[in-house]
């Protein structure tokens, strides 16, 4: 990697994974800001979603930890929290139809329209005993695409948009959902 790319990668904001707060890390990595969102922000959004839901279930003692849209201790926020958080910042989320593959995505267009991409990928840990999903942000910064996965030690720099498409197609074939974050 040349010196300019190394310096640019150092300037890219990247939070690392803690507990199941991958949605929090993905959002902050997407916005390139340490506190674009905090745990308190996402918890408040999740609580508001419950209050706004006319079909909300009955309260049980486990409701203190296992909330409808997140886990109060570890995070593990769902898609509803992601969409509400992004809409609160003036963004629009477009679910990509996986049948079309990544070739149909306009990754080379103006950075003004597509802010970034959020992936929700299936995860298996402990020999397949633990199954969950993981949030990952991809973003183009100054013309360069990065994978800002909070499980990575540092951002991954894609060599070009074709590599981004290949990575997205592999993610789709593995069961990932792709969400386009659009500027409004």
């Amino acid at each position: 990697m040349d010196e300019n790319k190394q310096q640019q990668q150092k300037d890219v904001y990247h939070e690392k994974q803690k507990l199941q707060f991958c949605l929090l890390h993905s959002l902050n990595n997407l916005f390139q800001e340490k506190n674009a969102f905090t745990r308190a922000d996402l918890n408040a959004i999740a609580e508001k979603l419950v209050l706004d839901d006319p079909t909300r279930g009955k309260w049980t003692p486990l409701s203190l930890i296992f909330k409808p849209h997140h886990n109060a201790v570890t995070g593990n926020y769902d898609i509803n929290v992601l969409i509400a958080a992004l809409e609160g910042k003036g963004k629009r989320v477009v679910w990509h139809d996986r049948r079309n593959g990544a070739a149909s995505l306009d990754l080379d267009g103006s950075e003004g329209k597509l802010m970034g991409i959020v992936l929700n990928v299936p995860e298996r840990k402990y020999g397949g005993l633990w199954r969950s999903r993981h949030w990952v942000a991809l973003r183009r910064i100054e013309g360069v695409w990065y994978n800002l996965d909070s499980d990575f030690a540092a951002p991954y720099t894609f060599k070009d948009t074709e590599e981004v498409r290949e990575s997205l197609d592999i993610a789709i074939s593995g069961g990932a959902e792709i969400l386009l974050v659009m500027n409004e």
Side-chain angles (χ1 to χ4, degrees):
M1 188 183 308
D2 71 1
E3 202 171 303
N4 285 342
K5 260 193 169 174
Q6 284 179 331
Q7 181 57 45
Q8 186 177 7
Q9 189 174 23
K10 286 180 187 175
D11 295 337
V12 172
Y13 180 76
H14 181 253
E15 282 185 11
K16 294 182 189 165
Q17 186 70 27
K18 292 179 186 155
L19 297 173
Q20 291 180 310
F21 290 103
C22 54
L23 180 62
L24 173 66
H25 305 313
S26 292
L27 287 168
N28 288 340
N29 289 341
L30 184 68
F31 280 89
Q32 288 293 286
E33 227 178 283
K34 180 178 181 172
N35 288 314
F37 291 95
T38 64
R39 279 179 68 177
D41 294 335
L42 296 185
N43 288 345
I45 290 168
E47 293 299 324
K48 183 176 182 330
L49 288 169
V50 171
L51 293 174
D52 292 347
D53 183 1
T55 63
R56 67 178 176 253
K58 292 183 179 181
W59 186 90
T60 70
L62 289 176
S63 299
L64 291 172
I65 296 173
F66 300 106
K67 310 269 185 176
H69 300 288
H70 74 297
N71 180 305
V73 176
T74 64
N76 202 18
Y77 300 96
D78 73 8
I79 183 72
N80 300 295
V81 176
L82 170 77
I83 291 171
L86 289 169
E87 286 177 350
K89 294 266 188 182
K91 307 300 176 194
R92 184 171 51 96
V93 178
V94 176
W95 210 298
H96 177 67
D97 185 344
R98 55 199 335 251
R99 296 171 296 182
N100 296 330
S104 65
L105 296 172
D106 182 13
L107 301 177
D108 297 311
S110 82
E111 288 187 55
K113 188 174 180 184
L114 175 65
M115 179 191 190
I117 299 169
V118 176
L119 303 168
N120 187 247
V121 296
E123 268 191 330
R124 288 180 153 184
K125 293 183 179 179
Y126 313 115
L129 295 174
W130 176 266
R131 291 180 184 197
S132 65
R133 299 200 57 97
H134 180 64
W135 296 104
V136 176
L138 305 182
R139 172 119 189 232
R140 188 168 69 170
I141 301 167
E142 295 182 25
V144 178
W145 277 97
Y146 293 92
N147 182 332
L148 302 167
D149 189 339
S150 58
D151 277 343
F152 292 172
Y156 173 80
T157 307
F158 290 103
K159 66 181 179 194
D160 56 23
T161 54
E162 192 52 41
E163 186 183 10
V164 176
R165 282 189 183 88
E166 289 169 9
S167 177
L168 290 172
D169 279 332
I170 291 168
I172 289 169
S173 69
E177 298 295 336
I178 297 183
L179 304 151
L180 307 174
V181 180
M182 311 301 288
N183 290 313
E184 288 291 284

